[in-house]
Amino acid sequence: MRQRPGDDQPVQTLRWREGRLEMIDQRVLPQRFEYLRYDRAAEVAEGIRAMVVRGAPAIGCAAAYGIALEARALQDAARDAFSAGLDTGFAVLAASRPTAINLFWALKRMRGGWRASQHLPVPDIANILLGEAHEIAAEDIRINRAMGAFGAALLPDGARVLTHCNAGALATAGHGTALGVIRSAVEAGKSVSVIADETRPFLQGARLTAWEMVQEHIPVTLITDNMAGHLMSHGEVDAVVVGTDRVAANGDVANKIGTYMVAVLAHRHGIPFYVACPLSTIDLEVPDGAAIPIEERAADEVTGFGVHQWAAKGVQVRNPAFDVTPAELVTALITEKGVLMKPGRDSIARLFSF
Amino acid sequence: MRQRPGDDQPVQTLRWREGRLEMIDQRVLPQRFEYLRYDRAAEVAEGIRAMVVRGAPAIGCAAAYGIALEARALQDAARDAFSAGLDTGFAVLAASRPTAINLFWALKRMRGGWRASQHLPVPDIANILLGEAHEIAAEDIRINRAMGAFGAALLPDGARVLTHCNAGALATAGHGTALGVIRSAVEAGKSVSVIADETRPFLQGARLTAWEMVQEHIPVTLITDNMAGHLMSHGEVDAVVVGTDRVAANGDVANKIGTYMVAVLAHRHGIPFYVACPLSTIDLEVPDGAAIPIEERAADEVTGFGVHQWAAKGVQVRNPAFDVTPAELVTALITEKGVLMKPGRDSIARLFSF
């Protein structure tokens, strides 16, 4: 337990210290709270792949810092070597995880920063890229606060809000998307409580969402993923709020595996199903959910948790990390530009037209 | 790994050896395969509570043997002491777990055996009660084979069958209810494969169903509970077969927590949802699912698994062990008397009238 922030200090998922990126190791929370340090793009890519950092917006920020680190490491190199090295950094980061669009969005933005500054001396480019990474992270927090304010208005006082996975401060640069809505509701004086799906196999709900809420004294009840339907059928859930890794042009929502089952059950019970979704998570180039790549991860995540392996030897395994919730099941997208009820192709397109 | 049965030997969940009941310790499978030994009713009740043995039919058999053990232990006592002791045995076993009706069904049957033999010398009563327990176990296997034959006919060749929890040999005296349908289909020459929900929190799917299927070389794929919807939406599930702990007079089905979510998803995707249900599991005295008592178990099952605890400290927990699937979502009940399509109050009542 070192460098643990005080109860009143916001969680800093990523931070820039002495020329390096530091990220909370989310694989070992809440048993251990510790930062790992990164100097190069390839290290950051491995951190993303291994889920030291996870959550679509946080992955985007990490990738941006990965490019900034690589530029910094190469700032004394000749321009050709710098360019070749940076290109490799972009490639290795883009290959780290396939589903969350924020990763590609952030890399595209960093490439834009590079292109705009390519006439400058290499050290200046490196400085500009670091500034761009800082701006992406700062902007993420501003956007989460804007979504939080819009989303909080949707929750009645006393609401019991079910969430799946962790779309909290740990999934972003701060405040969170789905949990940002909860935090903003609490800041607005509402009494809300959280029901956290444990979210197998990586247990983001049991480990991360529960930890964030306990730290801030927001009431939180942990359930296994298969209990959500039972609670809904007993009238114990007033709303669902989740984050997302990619929203297609038609409003289909890719999010952590299990989100689809929650959405179907919420629909059956007339419970609103909200998706906290910064515009950077909407991918207009993907027509619908069927075209979103779904990452399949290693079998040992499903046969146990970490070193504790319990499944029968010899069993085959499936491990899709995400699923797609069709737009028809989404009550509203909560964005930094406002709440989009019954999202569809036309209304989503309009979000980008002003 | 001691006393492990050979690949060709059926799993003996409960067995009578040298005047004692032996039960496989299902808490430690598949890492360890070992039998625990029981001499008294109270010990068996604790074994049921702690889930050394679980699964509605197996709990019924264990309770019957618990009474037989108690009668045997008291067979040299005076009649009054024997009667008082046996009454206590009935009470302590009835209090072990509340949801599965087979427990109460078996105890009622053992009490009937006692009543019918109460004019006999005490040692003879003890012998009769042991015979009755043996008969309950033997009958369970016969019933499971009958259900298996009826259920197997429902599965097309090549069927990929999703099951939740473990309704296998380990949940019964042998062959299994839901997995009995699978086994009978395989014996009939059909090529079927199993998709096993891991079934948090006790992991009956990952540990027990996967183990049973691997032992018998029946193809089995393990998923976390929240992946079932994703697989269904991709056309990867042809049928669902589950067991049950109690069926109400109107056809509502209580089964392991999470069954309801599977049923709702199966309904959405037009996938048949079958419940393997011996008549002893139907409780005509309970009008509908709302009247079935749902056991709430200890928090530490949800905050981790066994000694491995991972959830954030301070989180609240819900742990309902069962849920209720309304009859409208049940394609058919598979019983030892045949397959009951679209089960309802009238058709269920008729099952008991001939």
Side-chain angles (χ1 to χ4, degrees):
Chain A
M1 291 290 190
R2 47 195 166 111
Q3 293 172 304
R4 183 157 201 156
D7 279 357
D8 57 343
Q9 190 185 342
V11 175
Q12 282 189 283
T13 304
L14 317 92
R15 64 186 188 194
W16 187 260
R17 289 273 170 99
E18 296 164 9
R20 311 168 94 185
L21 174 66
E22 298 185 347
M23 301 198 292
I24 297 172
D25 187 351
Q26 300 193 31
R27 300 169 302 180
V28 298
L29 270 177
Q31 277 69 40
R32 297 205 307 277
F33 181 92
E34 57 190 41
Y35 281 93
L36 299 181
R37 287 160 195 81
Y38 295 86
D39 291 297
R40 302 296 293 259
E43 296 167 9
V44 175
E46 176 55 25
I48 292 171
R49 194 207 56 74
M51 296 172 71
V52 170
V53 67
R54 26 64 51 200
I59 289 173
C61 294
Y65 278 115
I67 293 301
L69 284 169
E70 196 65 18
R72 218 177 144 81
L74 298 170
Q75 67 183 346
D76 298 327
R79 186 170 296 265
D80 281 358
F82 175 83
S83 296
L86 212 53
D87 272 333
T88 301
F90 274 101
V92 73
L93 282 161
S96 59
R97 293 193 74 188
T99 302
I101 190 64
N102 309 61
L103 171 70
F104 308 100
W105 171 89
L107 290 176
K108 189 173 169 188
R109 192 159 149 178
M110 294 301 285
R111 199 172 269 283
W114 181 17
R115 195 173 298 120
S117 61
Q118 61 189 345
H119 57 285
L120 298 175
V122 165
D124 292 352
I125 299 176
N127 276 334
I128 283 170
L129 290 177
L130 178 58
E132 188 69 10
H134 285 325
E135 175 53 22
I136 286 173
E139 190 181 284
D140 184 49
I141 296 176
R142 290 197 300 273
I143 286 170
N144 292 342
R145 292 211 154 264
M147 284 193 298
F150 285 123
L154 297 170
L155 299 180
D157 192 39
R160 297 156 300 177
V161 183
L162 186 140
T163 191
H164 189 74
C165 197
N166 172 272
L170 289 165
T172 62
H175 198 63
T177 58
L179 295 188
V181 170
I182 301 287
R183 286 189 168 94
S184 293
V186 169
E187 287 171 12
K190 287 183 178 172
S191 166
V192 298
S193 57
V194 174
I195 298 161
D197 276 358
E198 68 173 2
T199 318
R200 280 281 291 152
F202 200 64
L203 296 164
Q204 291 94 334
R207 300 188 301 110
L208 309 181
T209 292
W211 180 77
E212 285 195 35
M213 296 293 94
V214 167
Q215 296 279 108
E216 297 177 32
H217 307 291
I218 297 173
V220 55
T221 299
L222 177 65
I223 60 173
T224 59
D225 300 316
N226 54 23
M227 292 173 188
H230 177 75
L231 265 61
M232 288 181 184
S233 73
H234 282 69
E236 298 182 38
V237 178
D238 300 305
V240 176
V241 184
V242 297
T244 168
D245 293 81
R246 193 185 307 208
V247 171
N250 73 336
D252 289 352
V253 171
N255 191 42
K256 180 51 55 193
I257 188 74
T259 303
Y260 171 57
M261 293 180 72
V262 172
V264 169
L265 269 292
H267 184 74
R268 177 176 170 91
H269 291 286
I271 297 165
F273 180 87
Y274 300 120
V275 178
C277 168
L279 294 188
S280 59
T281 305
I282 298 174
D283 184 359
L284 295 177
E285 293 179 18
V286 160
D288 56 40
I292 298 176
I294 301 295
E295 177 184 11
E296 187 103 13
R297 293 183 61 86
D300 65 353
E301 290 184 355
V302 171
T303 50
F305 176 69
V307 295
H308 199 56
Q309 294 284 314
W310 51 63
K313 295 267 186 279
V315 72
Q316 297 168 270
V317 169
R318 287 290 307 278
N319 187 11
F322 303 93
D323 61 24
V324 172
T325 297
E328 67 186 81
L329 299 177
V330 177
T331 307
L333 294 182
I334 301 166
T335 81
E336 67 269 36
K337 283 193 178 178
V339 173
L340 191 62
M341 301 298 291
K342 294 186 184 174
R345 199 173 300 277
D346 294 345
S347 60
I348 287 175
R350 277 196 298 276
L351 274 179
F352 291 90
S353 66
F354 61 96
Chain B
M1 292 288 189
R2 46 193 166 114
Q3 295 173 304
R4 183 155 201 160
D7 279 357
D8 57 344
Q9 190 185 344
V11 175
Q12 282 191 282
T13 304
L14 317 93
R15 65 186 186 192
W16 187 261
R17 289 272 170 101
E18 296 164 8
R20 310 167 93 184
L21 174 67
E22 299 186 348
M23 302 197 292
I24 297 171
D25 187 351
Q26 301 194 30
R27 299 168 303 180
V28 299
L29 272 177
Q31 277 69 40
R32 297 205 306 278
F33 181 92
E34 57 190 40
Y35 281 93
L36 299 182
R37 286 158 196 82
Y38 295 86
D39 292 296
R40 301 298 292 259
E43 295 167 12
V44 175
E46 176 55 23
I48 293 171
R49 194 207 56 74
M51 294 171 74
V52 170
V53 66
R54 26 64 52 200
I59 289 173
C61 294
Y65 278 116
I67 292 300
L69 284 169
E70 195 65 18
R72 219 177 143 79
L74 298 170
Q75 65 184 347
D76 297 328
R79 186 170 296 267
D80 280 0
F82 175 83
S83 297
L86 211 54
D87 271 334
T88 302
F90 275 101
V92 72
L93 283 161
S96 59
R97 292 193 75 190
T99 301
I101 190 63
N102 309 61
L103 171 68
F104 307 101
W105 171 89
L107 290 176
K108 190 173 167 187
R109 192 160 149 178
M110 294 300 285
R111 198 172 270 283
W114 182 18
R115 196 172 298 120
S117 60
Q118 60 188 349
H119 57 287
L120 298 175
V122 165
D124 292 352
I125 299 176
N127 276 335
I128 284 169
L129 290 177
L130 177 58
E132 187 69 10
H134 285 326
E135 174 53 23
I136 286 173
E139 189 181 285
D140 185 49
I141 296 175
R142 290 197 301 272
I143 286 170
N144 292 341
R145 292 212 154 262
M147 283 192 298
F150 285 122
L154 296 170
L155 300 181
D157 192 40
R160 298 157 298 178
V161 182
L162 186 140
T163 191
H164 188 74
C165 195
N166 171 271
L170 289 165
T172 63
H175 198 63
T177 58
L179 294 189
V181 170
I182 301 288
R183 286 189 169 95
S184 293
V186 170
E187 287 171 13
K190 287 183 179 172
S191 166
V192 297
S193 57
V194 173
I195 299 161
D197 277 357
E198 68 173 0
T199 318
R200 280 280 293 151
F202 199 65
L203 297 163
Q204 291 95 331
R207 299 189 300 112
L208 309 181
T209 292
W211 180 77
E212 284 195 35
M213 297 293 94
V214 167
Q215 296 279 108
E216 298 178 29
H217 309 290
I218 297 172
V220 55
T221 299
L222 177 66
I223 60 172
T224 59
D225 301 316
N226 54 23
M227 292 173 186
H230 177 75
L231 264 62
M232 288 181 186
S233 73
H234 282 68
E236 298 182 38
V237 178
D238 300 305
V240 177
V241 184
V242 297
T244 168
D245 293 81
R246 193 184 309 207
V247 171
N250 73 336
D252 289 353
V253 171
N255 191 42
K256 180 53 52 192
I257 189 75
T259 303
Y260 171 57
M261 294 179 71
V262 172
V264 168
L265 270 292
H267 184 73
R268 178 176 168 91
H269 291 286
I271 297 165
F273 180 86
Y274 300 120
V275 178
C277 168
L279 294 189
S280 59
T281 305
I282 299 175
D283 184 359
L284 295 178
E285 293 179 17
V286 160
D288 58 38
I292 298 175
I294 301 294
E295 176 184 11
E296 187 103 15
R297 293 183 61 86
D300 66 354
E301 290 183 355
V302 170
T303 50
F305 176 67
V307 295
H308 200 56
Q309 293 284 315
W310 50 64
K313 295 266 187 281
V315 71
Q316 298 168 268
V317 170
R318 285 292 307 277
N319 187 12
F322 303 92
D323 62 24
V324 172
T325 297
E328 67 186 81
L329 299 177
V330 178
T331 307
L333 294 182
I334 302 166
T335 81
E336 67 269 35
K337 284 192 179 179
V339 173
L340 190 63
M341 302 297 292
K342 295 187 184 173
R345 199 174 299 277
D346 294 344
S347 60
I348 287 174
R350 276 197 298 276
L351 275 179
F352 291 90
S353 66
F354 62 94

Coordinates of all heavy atoms in Angstrom, one line a residue, chain A residues 228-235 237 262-272, chain B residues 260 264 326:
Chain A
A228 N -28.1 -9.9 -11.9 CA -28.8 -8.6 -12.3 C -30.3 -8.8 -12.6 O -31.1 -8.0 -12.3 CB -28.0 -8.0 -13.5
G229 N -30.6 -9.9 -13.3 CA -32.0 -10.2 -13.7 C -32.9 -10.4 -12.5 O -34.0 -9.9 -12.5
H230 N -32.4 -11.1 -11.5 CA -33.1 -11.4 -10.3 C -33.4 -10.1 -9.6 O -34.6 -9.8 -9.2 CB -32.3 -12.3 -9.4 CG -32.9 -12.6 -8.1 ND1 -34.0 -13.5 -7.9 CD2 -32.7 -12.1 -6.8 CE1 -34.4 -13.5 -6.7 NE2 -33.6 -12.7 -6.0
L231 N -32.5 -9.2 -9.5 CA -32.7 -7.9 -8.8 C -33.7 -7.1 -9.6 O -34.6 -6.4 -9.0 CB -31.4 -7.2 -8.6 CG -30.7 -7.4 -7.2 CD1 -30.4 -8.8 -7.0 CD2 -29.5 -6.5 -7.0
M232 N -33.6 -7.1 -10.9 CA -34.5 -6.3 -11.8 C -35.9 -6.8 -11.6 O -36.9 -6.1 -11.5 CB -34.1 -6.4 -13.2 CG -32.8 -5.6 -13.6 SD -32.5 -5.7 -15.4 CE -30.9 -4.9 -15.5
S233 N -36.1 -8.2 -11.6 CA -37.4 -8.7 -11.5 C -38.0 -8.5 -10.1 O -39.2 -8.6 -10.0 CB -37.3 -10.2 -11.8 OG -36.8 -10.9 -10.7
H234 N -37.2 -8.1 -9.1 CA -37.7 -7.8 -7.8 C -37.8 -6.3 -7.6 O -38.0 -5.8 -6.5 CB -36.9 -8.4 -6.7 CG -37.1 -9.9 -6.5 ND1 -36.8 -10.8 -7.5 CD2 -37.8 -10.6 -5.5 CE1 -37.2 -12.0 -7.1 NE2 -37.8 -11.9 -5.9
G235 N -37.7 -5.5 -8.7 CA -37.9 -4.0 -8.6 C -36.7 -3.4 -7.8 O -37.0 -2.3 -7.2
V237 N -33.8 -2.3 -9.1 CA -32.9 -1.5 -10.0 C -33.7 -0.4 -10.7 O -34.7 -0.7 -11.3 CB -32.2 -2.4 -11.1 CG1 -31.3 -1.6 -12.0 CG2 -31.4 -3.5 -10.5
V262 N -27.4 -7.5 -19.8 CA -28.0 -6.5 -18.9 C -29.0 -5.6 -19.7 O -30.1 -5.4 -19.2 CB -26.9 -5.6 -18.3 CG1 -27.5 -4.4 -17.5 CG2 -26.0 -6.4 -17.4
A263 N -28.7 -5.2 -20.9 CA -29.6 -4.4 -21.7 C -30.9 -5.1 -22.0 O -32.0 -4.5 -22.0 CB -28.9 -4.0 -23.0
V264 N -30.8 -6.4 -22.4 CA -32.0 -7.2 -22.7 C -32.9 -7.3 -21.5 O -34.1 -7.1 -21.6 CB -31.6 -8.6 -23.2 CG1 -32.8 -9.5 -23.3 CG2 -30.9 -8.5 -24.6
L265 N -32.3 -7.5 -20.3 CA -33.1 -7.7 -19.1 C -33.7 -6.3 -18.7 O -34.8 -6.3 -18.3 CB -32.2 -8.2 -18.0 CG -32.2 -9.7 -17.8 CD1 -33.5 -10.3 -17.3 CD2 -31.7 -10.5 -19.0
A266 N -32.9 -5.2 -18.8 CA -33.5 -3.9 -18.5 C -34.7 -3.6 -19.4 O -35.7 -3.1 -18.9 CB -32.4 -2.8 -18.7
H267 N -34.5 -3.9 -20.7 CA -35.6 -3.7 -21.6 C -36.9 -4.5 -21.2 O -38.0 -3.9 -21.2 CB -35.2 -4.2 -23.0 CG -36.2 -3.9 -24.1 ND1 -36.4 -2.7 -24.6 CD2 -37.0 -4.8 -24.8 CE1 -37.3 -2.7 -25.6 NE2 -37.7 -4.0 -25.7
R268 N -36.7 -5.7 -20.8 CA -37.8 -6.6 -20.4 C -38.5 -6.0 -19.2 O -39.8 -6.1 -19.0 CB -37.3 -8.0 -20.0 CG -38.4 -8.9 -19.5 CD -37.9 -10.3 -19.3 NE -38.8 -11.1 -18.5 CZ -39.7 -11.9 -19.1 NH1 -39.8 -12.0 -20.4 NH2 -40.6 -12.6 -18.4
H269 N -37.8 -5.3 -18.3 CA -38.3 -4.8 -17.1 C -38.6 -3.3 -17.1 O -38.9 -2.7 -16.1 CB -37.4 -5.2 -15.9 CG -37.4 -6.6 -15.6 ND1 -38.5 -7.3 -15.0 CD2 -36.5 -7.6 -15.9 CE1 -38.2 -8.6 -14.9 NE2 -37.0 -8.8 -15.4
G270 N -38.5 -2.7 -18.3 CA -38.8 -1.3 -18.4 C -37.9 -0.4 -17.6 O -38.3 0.7 -17.2
I271 N -36.7 -0.8 -17.5 CA -35.7 0.0 -16.7 C -34.8 0.7 -17.7 O -34.3 0.2 -18.7 CB -34.8 -0.9 -15.9 CG1 -35.6 -1.7 -14.8 CG2 -33.6 -0.2 -15.2 CD1 -34.9 -2.9 -14.2
P272 N -34.7 2.1 -17.6 CA -33.9 2.8 -18.6 C -32.4 2.3 -18.6 O -31.8 2.1 -17.6 CB -34.0 4.3 -18.1 CG -34.5 4.2 -16.7 CD -35.2 2.9 -16.5
Chain B
Y260 N -32.5 -17.4 -14.9 CA -33.5 -16.4 -15.5 C -33.0 -15.6 -16.6 O -33.6 -15.4 -17.6 CB -34.1 -15.5 -14.3 CG -34.9 -14.4 -14.8 CD1 -36.1 -14.7 -15.5 CD2 -34.6 -13.1 -14.5 CE1 -36.9 -13.6 -15.9 CE2 -35.4 -12.0 -14.9 CZ -36.6 -12.3 -15.6 OH -37.4 -11.3 -16.1
V264 N -34.3 -15.5 -20.5 CA -34.8 -14.3 -21.2 C -34.0 -14.2 -22.5 O -34.6 -13.9 -23.5 CB -34.6 -13.1 -20.3 CG1 -34.8 -11.8 -21.1 CG2 -35.6 -13.1 -19.1
P326 N -40.1 -17.5 -15.1 CA -41.5 -17.7 -15.3 C -41.8 -18.7 -16.3 O -41.1 -18.9 -17.3 CB -42.0 -16.3 -15.7 CG -40.8 -15.5 -16.2 CD -39.6 -16.1 -15.5

